[in-house]
Structure formats: C-alpha cells, structure tokens
Amino acid sequence: MSGFKPQNNYSEGYGKRGRSQKRSIKKSSGAKRFKTEDTRIVKETIEDESSDEDVSNTSIDKEAEVTEDLEKKKQVYDALVTILKSEHKEPKMRDNLNETSKEEHLTDEDLDEDEKFETEEQEIENNLLSIKDDEEEGENNDDNAGESDDESDNKSDPFDSHFNQPTEQFTNKFADAFKNKQIKYRSIKYKINEYESSIYSEPRILEDEQTKVKSPVLKSSIHSYALKKRLKINNDLLDPAVNNLTTIQKELVDPMFQYKDILYEYGNYGKDEEEYRSLYCLHVLNHIYKTRDRILKNNSKVQDNPDAEFLDQGFTRPKVLIVAPTRDAGYSIVNEIIKKSGIDQIDKKSKFRDQFYEESLLPASKPKSFQAVFKGNSNDYFVLGIKFTRKAIKLYSNFYQSDIIVCSPLGLHMILENTDKKKRQDDFLSSIELMIIDQLHSMEFQNISHVTSIFEHINKIPKEQHDTDFSRIKMWYINDQAKLFRQTMIFTKYISPSANFFLNGKCQNWSGRWKNHKMITPNESSIGQLGLRVKQMFHRFDIIGGSIVDEPDYRFKYFTSVIVQSITKSTSYEDGMLIYITDYTDYVRVRNYLKEKTTILFGDINEYSDQKQVNSNRALFQQRRVKVLLYTERLHHFRRYEIKGVKNIVFYKAPTNPEFYNEVVRYIGKNAFTGNTDINISNVRTIYSKLDGLALERIMGTKRAAVLTHGQNETYEFK
C-alpha cells in the first residue's frame, strides 16, 4: 500500500477531482423539489502562455498519469474495504427511520416553516458531499504548522501516551476481550469533598482481573498538561504559579486531559455549565491543534524524505463531535471555542448568529429549570461543521473537511437514518476521537434513541474513499478498533439510567472511565425543599423471579390491583386525582385499561394532544366533571402547565427530573390556598421499585433512598 501516496486532508497533491452531480431534496409535502449541481473546479497554473507544443504534450501526459493513479487508488480502496468488511462484519442497519412523529421535539416555536427547514436541510446535504477543495493551499508553508513546542514530542503527554504508545499486540488483545465479553472493570472510589465522591474504573481482561488498579493521578492544575503555546497565550496560562481553575474545573481537568471517559453530574444551571464547557473547549482545541500540527510537521518530513512512513491520520478529517440539545446551547459552545482559540477571522459568523441566536423572553411564572432549558433559540435541528485553517475558523464547512462537528441528536439522526437510504451517511464519524454530550438530561425528553443511534454509527470503517492517504492511517483505525481510543464525555444535571447505560454499555476506552457521585442530604432533596406538609406515601413492588425487562409489567400489575382499587374505594376525595406518568408507552397502557376495564370518568392529556384537547380536559378536571386526569412527564417538561383542581396525586413512577416532583405536588398546595381542598386529607403516592434508586435519591436524599430500596417494609410515609 506504500507504493502510492494519495493526497490527504492537509497536503497538496494531485489536481482537483469533481463531477457534475444532480441532487433533489423532496419537501415534506411533496410539492417542491430543488435541484443543485456541483460545479467542477479546475485549477490551472500557467507559467508561460507561449509554451511550445512539447510542453503542452508533457502536461497532458502528466494529467493522464494522475487520472490513472486515481483509478488505481479507487481499486485499492475498494479491495481494502472488502477485506475489512469480511473481517469486521457490521450489524444490519435498520431500514426504516424510527417513528420520529411520536418521539420528536416539542417547542413553542412554529414548526411549519417549510421553506426555511428545506433550505437548511439542503445546506446540510451539500456539506455531506465529499469534495476536496483548495482552501488548504499554503498549509505546508504555514509558519505555525507543526510548531515545535516543548510539548510536541513529549512522551509523557497523554495525547501521545493514549493514542500512539499502545502497541498493536496490546490493542488487539483488548479488542478481542471486549468482543468476547472478557472485560471486567476494577474501580477505586475517593472523596472529593464531604458530599461528593468520584469513581475511577479501569478495564481488566479476566485473566488479569486480580491486577490492582493504580490510584489516579490527581494534579488539579491545567499547567500539569501539555497545552499548545498559542492556547497558553490566548487564555492567559503562561504563568505556572497561577491556577485559574474553578472548583468544578479542578475536578474535571485530570480525567479530561488524561483522555478518560467522563460522566459528570453538575449542580446548577448556567454557572456550572459555563465552567465545564470552558474546560472541554480548551481540551478540544488542544487536541485539534496537536493533531493538525503533527500531520503538517510529518508532511514536511515526507517532502524531505519520500520513503519516510508516519501513521498519524484516520479515515476522515473530523476528530471531535459535540452533541447539544438546542441551537442556543450550540451557539454558546461555538462562541466559547472561538473565544478560546483567539482567532479573529471567522467565516460566516453573521449567518451563524442569525440562525442560532435568538432573544426570547420566557414567562416569568415558569420555573428556573424551564428558563434554563428553553432560553434563546430552542430549535433542536442543526448540524454544523467547523474547520480550522492557518488564520481563520470556517463555519458551515463541508463535513469531510471539518475538524469539529456540532450537532443536535435529531439533526444528526436525520443524516444517519435518513428515510432515503441513498442519502444515509456515517463515514464522517469514522475517525472521531473526542465525543462530547452536553446536557444529556434535556436530550432525554427529546428522543433518547437518537443519542443511541449516534453510538451505533460512530467509529465504523467508511464505505467510500474520502481523499485518504492509506500509508498514513493508524493501524487501530484499519483494524476497526477506534472505539478503544475514543474519549466520551457526558455532562448532565442528574444521573439517569440512560446516562449510566451510555457510559457502561457504549464506551470502551482502554484508558478507563471516571464519574462523580453527589450525596443528597435530606434538606437538599425534593421533599426537604417542598415547603408543604402533605402526606407522601411510597409504595414498593418487587420483581419476584423476573428480569429487568419485566419491570413495566410488574408495575402495571401493581397499579391495577392496588392503586385503581384505592381510587374506587378512596377514603379521601372522590375527585381531583392526578396520575402522573413518565413514559408514553405506560401512559397508553394505563389509558386503555381505564377505558376498557373500569367505569372511572377520566380525562387524559399528553405531549401529542392538540391545544383544544388539552384545554378541554383541564377544564373538565377543574370543574370536577371527570374524576381522574392522566398527565405525562414530557408534556409537563415542555409546557409546565398549572393544573387546577388537584386534590390527590399518584406518581406512576418517580419523576425523572426531581424538580418535577415539587412542581406537581405544589398543585395541591395551590388548590388548598384557594380553599378547594383540605391539605390534611390530600395525599401523594409514588409507585417504585429497586430500579428507581437514582430518582428516589434526589427526591428524598441518599440515605433515605437506600432504606426505601433495601428495607423490609413495602410502604413508607413522609410528611
């Protein structure tokens, strides 16, 4: 494979390749089609217009040689892909797009802007075209290219020790162990402070299981890690005696810059988000600069010595994927990257501001969590490529020419699982080395399966050639082992089963993983901050002889046999019963049961109800014309309605967001304030199992939750 040297993403080589290609984007209504044609770009350098016929013939011969060489590259690549696919069989891709009509976003924005949506969709598809441009001209002459900072060739630098030092034998051994499920994690737990601890885990092959885990290296200083000199200058980090890191950043700097996987639970909206985001943007830029400078430096060496061999690239250029829930979050992330870089020339900055920034005044009556999640532009459909050149940052760059891709789960899902199979692509995710999921708690209320699909498509061997120099590709890319080297960082307001699943089930970083755990005191819990003395009962059901997948069936059985019976024979109020249901499938199951198996008069509102239905059912409930109202968690997340007439509450499952518990229980307090209910008669009941421990911990505190999940009693009462 070393017999030819195709052009790579950072060097100039052969002439431009292009082709006329017609594409059509079908509008959702099927009424319009837009056709675009990619123009062939031909770059000609004419040094002497009076060249004789011999020189012209020589030029033609060279062009013919280039064309022939390109054909050979294509044949070799096809052969390579065939071999790789035969060795690494991939699971069959889903033919149909998930039912996004049921699981997509809900916002207060008008979603019928067909022309605007179609224009942006067309732009995204344009950015998926794998066309080599000439924007990298002069890269090899960059004065800063491959800058020889002290840290560039430092073997103790985690950038080098994580990606370059593991041997092929070591990597193959770990890859086989993960494939055969022969990996077991060994952990160390240490205290950060009185109310917070962290858990550091390393993967161990079963035969080496007894090997002790080394204590993690904790320096809590950015100066302990090799930053590019330009970043030190731009961010005032030249003085090693000054440690400007905040408390949160001191917790994160070691696992982050050591390339460990991270699951971080932060405490406050706004300030905490700005702090961890500032640190990971610095880490992202440091990684991009080191990757780029090393490639440019090696390009220069290859020019001096054509026989030199360097393994310093992946299949495609993008190295960082940042997933955010809304455009407002994306806007903050990109601006932080620009700020940290210190680069003044930003292409298409005004366009970026127009599409991502929005001044919106949310109702002051809405809770702080609502204000934080839905501030600014809450549109959750976007994919943005960011490219770094010698003197500029180019926004809206072609994805295959980008260094960073910032996207929402929905935006990326529409590319990975496009209903048109011919438009599906995931090659641009083949060489991602840093993946960041920012504000996972918000994504869980959009469609968590979109996040899951990203993990299914990332770090796969590409199906097509994308100007790849095979002589420079690292062996762990060729061997389909990139997942072992990818660093995944997840930031969330609260730990959930989904967050743990992504860290434990979808990440295989050979360097290990790190997560924090906050101890919730009774005063910090939802019950402690409720400020309302109302009877609160927690009913546990056990999964006897069943598996985790049977949990919804046991919950439903308990609800129908215990809770429904208590509704019909209640010693409390006969009306004003609000049933809060977290999952839509559970909601459908309960609704059908009440409709078909009981005579209870009930209304129901969910995230897919139209406004007329919502208003009608709320009015009937307030007027006591229906006894029970079914209310879904996603509807509450997106609307935060004030439900009037609530006297009793049943939580079918503990709320995912602990703030929702207080918001819903306070419906009773507001109803009592108007004199429509006696708070001493009202009650709140929550159905739970041992699997709800994470949610219970935030509702009542860490120690109390342990008692509820492992205690002998099945019912516990608080007031």
Side-chain angles (χ1 to χ4, degrees), residues 548-597:
I548 295 177
V549 295
D550 299 322
E551 194 258 10
D553 295 330
Y554 282 89
R555 186 182 300 273
F556 179 72
K557 183 178 180 180
Y558 185 90
F559 174 80
T560 55
S561 61
V562 178
I563 303 298
V564 172
Q565 296 299 322
S566 67
I567 294 175
T568 58
K569 301 176 182 179
S570 177
T571 57
S572 181
Y573 290 103
E574 294 184 356
D575 57 5
M577 172 70 73
L578 179 71
I579 301 179
Y580 179 98
I581 306 177
T582 59
D583 189 78
Y584 184 79
T585 55
D586 288 333
Y587 158 80
V588 172
R589 196 174 189 181
V590 171
R591 182 193 61 189
N592 292 343
Y593 178 83
L594 294 180
K595 183 178 180 180
E596 298 171 1
K597 304 294 184 180

Side-chain angles (χ1 to χ4, degrees), residues 263-265 444 492-500 515-517 656 694-695 698:
L263 173 56
Y264 185 72
E265 178 183 23
E444 292 191 58
T492 182
K493 182 67 169 60
Y494 42 81
I495 301 293
S496 66
S498 296
N500 282 330
K515 64 181 291 186
N516 69 325
H517 177 260
T656 307
L694 288 173
R698 295 184 291 268

